Amino acid sequence: MKKRKKIVLIVIAIVSLSALLFPSDALAQQSGIKRTDLQRHDLSVSGHETIQARIDFEPGTAFGMHSHPGEEVIYVLEGLLEYEIEGEQPVVLKAGDVLFIPAGKNHSAKNVGKVRGAELATYIVVKGKPLLVMKK
């Protein structure tokens, strides 16, 4: 009985740690949005890493206001995506356009086109912090 309880506690710890380190995976897999992690590497700057992901948006879907513990560099792969950075006017970008989002700045994204939209997101962030923090 003790061995089974220990296994259950280990599984709970692993799941909890995964939710802490990769919260955006669960959030980004909401209906109509698919996140595909492509790569993750430590940087030469101590305590920092880069993460690259592809995010696909079905028409009309949006990802609400959130921030990251570092910079985000966006390259629009396809479609029309509207980005709103807190305190700035919304901007609509098409395939080939780029956007820089400063560290800690709240922002959102929405597919405003009639077809699927996709972006390549590159994060340069503090290692060990949650990648994504939803605005309350």
Side-chain angles (χ1 to χ4, degrees), residues 76-91:
V76 178
L77 298 168
E78 57 187 277
L80 288 174
L81 300 175
E82 179 181 78
Y83 296 91
E84 185 176 338
I85 300 175
E86 198 168 52
E88 298 179 22
Q89 291 295 316
V91 61

Side-chain angles (χ1 to χ4, degrees), residues 27-43:
L27 292 171
Q29 298 303 338
Q30 66 186 345
S31 180
I33 298 177
K34 179 183 178 196
R35 176 191 177 90
T36 305
D37 289 328
L38 302 172
Q39 60 179 330
R40 172 182 237 140
H41 299 282
D42 289 342
L43 295 174

Side-chain angles (χ1 to χ4, degrees), residues 20 29 60 82 85 95 100 106 116:
L20 175 66
Q29 298 303 338
E82 179 181 78
I85 300 175
F100 178 82
N106 285 310
R116 183 180 66 198

Side-chain angles (χ1 to χ4, degrees), residues 45-75:
V45 177
S46 179
H48 289 75
E49 65 181 337
T50 186
I51 301 166
Q52 198 167 52
R54 177 186 172 117
I55 296 96
D56 290 278
F57 297 80
E58 290 301 321
T61 60
F63 196 82
M65 280 289 182
H66 62 282
S67 65
H68 308 284
E71 289 78 13
E72 180 179 7
V73 180
I74 294 170
Y75 177 79

